[in-house]
Amino acid sequence: MNRASTGSTTGATPGPAFRTFCGHCGLPAEKEAYDGGSTPPSYPHPACAVRLELEPPRFCVRCGRRLKVQVSPLLVGPLLAPRPNVRSR
Amino acid sequence: MTIQPQLLKHPILVTAREQVLEQGRGLSEAQLVEVLRLPDEALPAALDLAHQVRLKHCGEDVEVEGIISIKTGGCPEDCHFCSQSGLFDSPVRGVWLDIPELVKAAKETAATGATEFCIVAAVRGPDIKLMNQIKFAIDRINEEVEINIACSLGMLTRRQVDQLASWGVHRYNHNLETARSYFPQVVTTHTYEERLETCAMVKDAGMELCCGALIGMGETLEQRAELAAQLAALDPHEVPLNFLNPRPGTPLENQQVMDGKDALRAIAAFRLAMPRTVLRYAGGRELTLGDLGTRDGLLGGVNAVIVGNYLTTLGRPANADLNLLVDLNMPIKELQKTL
């Protein structure tokens, strides 16, 4: 099953275009509304949000796949390695 | 000199004051058990004593270090606490850092006032490819950055120890992690003796030994004291003190986070075991101790910090720790190239 469902982004009322995923555990996020912008918002589960204060996201919020992450001493966020376009899977 | 009334209620603290503070001799394993069993009301006195020991035997400076992973994940070893083992279903994916990024991180670390930059690889031991990369990285960093370079590359051969020393690596990290009696519960792919062998070779080669602990993995208080005593017997230049941050997918992922007061008791005990060692706050303190506990530890025997992030997890913002040092009137140790 392709975890990145697609939906229409046209019409008067933008509906959910993509399912979003929790950056900590990689499971579907609780909120799914996403208007199709280039960067989906991150909606981690409440318990996961607490963990994300002390560790970088390990999963892509767009497709739920594991990310390559490089942590540096002073880098606030992780460096995310390029990954294939999930919509083409 | 008068003895504080709080100390008199706890004979081990009276003993520690005479033996460690006045004579500079660390506590024995049995004495450390007594410290680790002190009641909560004795904790402030224990921390204050540990702080006095640190000031008298180490000075007021705090050593600041940054650490970075040159090779993350995919490790063949099964250290049960580690998210970088390739044997567990951890979300940490393998990644290599290129040298320009490494040099950039060294520059950023030096800009904080840090004097130490530790390059870490998740490996059993380095192969030729990794050693070549380390040599290249050391040369590039030395060309552009004024900072001491340390390495943590797992178990070494004698030849590798000698190579690192000749390249100017002034300190090598290789942790004992836990007590000898508990080690088989935590690691099965190599032995305690193998770790000790690398530590011994590092010291023989003239590098400073950084040999740390990870507590809160389910060990008993007696085993915690055993670890402190075993570290003291090794006489390392530095002891990084980690507190378990249970990592998803590892065998210890469901281990309860250790109690903050137990962590502070451990800090005091480790200082009273090793009055002259650099005792560094390392991973897990944010989770175990929080901001207030970090302050308590710096006033309870700790005299070094890792600034910013760790290898796979995030630390406090660098400025938070640096500002705390200013608040506590603790100067950052200045750079002294040792090799």
Side-chain angles (χ1 to χ4, degrees):
Chain A
M1 176 184 157
N2 188 342
R3 298 172 76 183
S5 61
T6 57
S8 170
T9 56
T10 61
T13 306
F18 294 96
R19 167 169 278 190
T20 59
F21 294 84
C22 173
H24 178 69
C25 70
L27 296 173
E30 292 182 351
K31 288 183 178 179
E32 295 184 0
Y34 168 45
D35 65 5
S38 60
T39 306
S42 176
Y43 295 123
H45 306 107
C48 293
V50 174
R51 303 301 296 265
L52 284 172
E53 292 177 9
L54 292 175
E55 54 195 286
R58 292 285 170 191
F59 293 89
C60 176
V61 297
R62 187 192 301 239
C63 67
R65 294 200 302 185
R66 281 198 306 164
L67 295 166
K68 287 188 174 182
V69 179
Q70 176 67 54
V71 180
S72 297
L74 301 182
L75 201 63
V76 175
L79 299 174
L80 307 180
R83 56 173 175 68
N85 182 343
V86 294
R87 297 182 70 185
S88 67
R89 280 199 297 171
Chain B
M1 188 182 291
T2 57
I3 298 178
Q4 295 172 18
Q6 190 58 236
L7 292 186
L8 293 172
K9 296 179 189 171
H10 306 284
I12 183 59
L13 294 181
V14 176
T15 301
R17 187 177 185 284
E18 174 61 26
Q19 180 177 324
V20 188
L21 181 64
E22 301 302 332
Q23 300 174 18
R25 292 188 297 115
L27 295 183
S28 68
E29 184 177 332
Q31 289 172 318
L32 292 169
V33 173
E34 291 185 58
V35 173
L36 291 169
R37 285 186 173 151
L38 283 169
D40 286 354
E41 62 266 22
L43 184 54
L47 289 168
D48 183 61
L49 178 60
H51 185 53
Q52 290 180 51
V53 168
R54 167 261 172 125
L55 290 175
K56 177 170 181 180
H57 296 291
C58 303
E60 60 180 359
D61 290 355
V62 174
E63 190 182 89
V64 177
E65 177 187 51
I67 61 173
I68 193 161
S69 178
I70 190 170
K71 186 254 177 188
T72 302
C75 181
E77 302 304 291
D78 74 343
C79 307
H80 289 15
F81 52 84
C82 184
S83 63
Q84 298 195 64
S85 171
L87 303 177
F88 310 140
D89 186 21
S90 160
V92 173
R93 286 186 65 183
V95 59
W96 283 80
L97 184 64
D98 63 25
I99 302 304
E101 287 293 331
L102 193 68
V103 174
K104 181 178 170 216
K107 281 182 186 170
E108 291 170 348
T109 301
T112 67
T115 55
E116 305 288 319
F117 185 68
C118 187
I119 304 169
V120 185
V123 291
R124 175 181 171 86
D127 57 14
I128 291 176
K129 176 190 168 195
L130 179 58
M131 288 295 283
N132 287 339
Q133 283 188 304
I134 293 295
K135 170 76 166 69
F136 187 66
I138 290 169
D139 289 344
R140 295 290 86 73
I141 293 171
N142 279 334
E143 282 173 8
E144 300 188 38
V145 191
E146 280 288 317
I147 198 162
N148 285 321
I149 299 172
C151 286
S152 181
L153 312 173
M155 291 176 281
L156 301 176
T157 64
R158 169 71 68 180
R159 173 178 160 77
Q160 290 168 334
V161 170
D162 292 340
Q163 283 179 314
L164 291 173
S166 70
W167 297 342
V169 173
H170 90 123
R171 191 177 295 176
Y172 190 82
N173 165 260
H174 198 54
N175 291 345
L176 289 185
E177 308 293 11
T178 193
R180 181 193 293 269
S181 65
Y182 196 62
F183 194 81
Q185 310 298 313
V186 178
V187 183
T188 69
T189 48
H190 58 268
T191 65
Y192 207 70
E193 280 64 33
E194 287 178 283
R195 292 206 174 209
L196 289 173
E197 284 170 16
T198 292
C199 291
M201 285 190 290
V202 166
K203 291 189 76 172
D204 287 348
M207 283 189 284
E208 293 177 355
L209 174 64
C210 168
C211 187
L214 172 52
I215 59 176
M217 292 194 288
E219 75 280 2
T220 63
L221 292 185
E222 288 77 9
Q223 286 168 325
R224 213 166 279 169
E226 179 191 338
L227 170 60
Q230 285 162 348
L231 283 168
L234 262 181
D235 191 24
H237 186 87
E238 173 193 339
V239 172
L241 188 53
N242 299 273
F243 308 99
L244 180 71
N245 178 351
R247 301 287 71 217
T250 66
L252 292 177
E253 70 173 325
N254 295 318
Q255 182 72 36
Q256 193 171 1
V257 174
M258 78 179 290
D259 177 72
K261 285 181 177 162
D262 283 343
L264 291 171
R265 265 185 281 269
I267 289 170
F270 274 62
R271 172 53 72 203
L272 296 175
M274 294 169 278
R276 294 177 184 81
T277 299
V278 174
L279 184 59
R280 187 181 306 280
Y281 255 144
R285 71 176 151 111
E286 294 79 6
L287 190 64
T288 303
L289 290 165
D291 290 348
L292 194 57
T294 292
R295 184 186 186 94
D296 289 345
L298 283 164
L299 292 169
V302 169
N303 66 332
V305 296
I306 289 176
V307 69
N309 299 323
Y310 302 105
L311 301 177
T312 63
T313 58
L314 305 180
R316 278 158 47 100
N319 281 342
D321 278 343
L322 298 173
N323 291 339
L324 177 58
L325 296 180
V326 172
D327 290 346
L328 296 175
N329 204 22
M330 292 182 182
I332 295 176
K333 181 181 171 185
E334 293 183 1
L335 183 68
Q336 295 172 315
K337 282 278 186 182
T338 54
L339 285 174

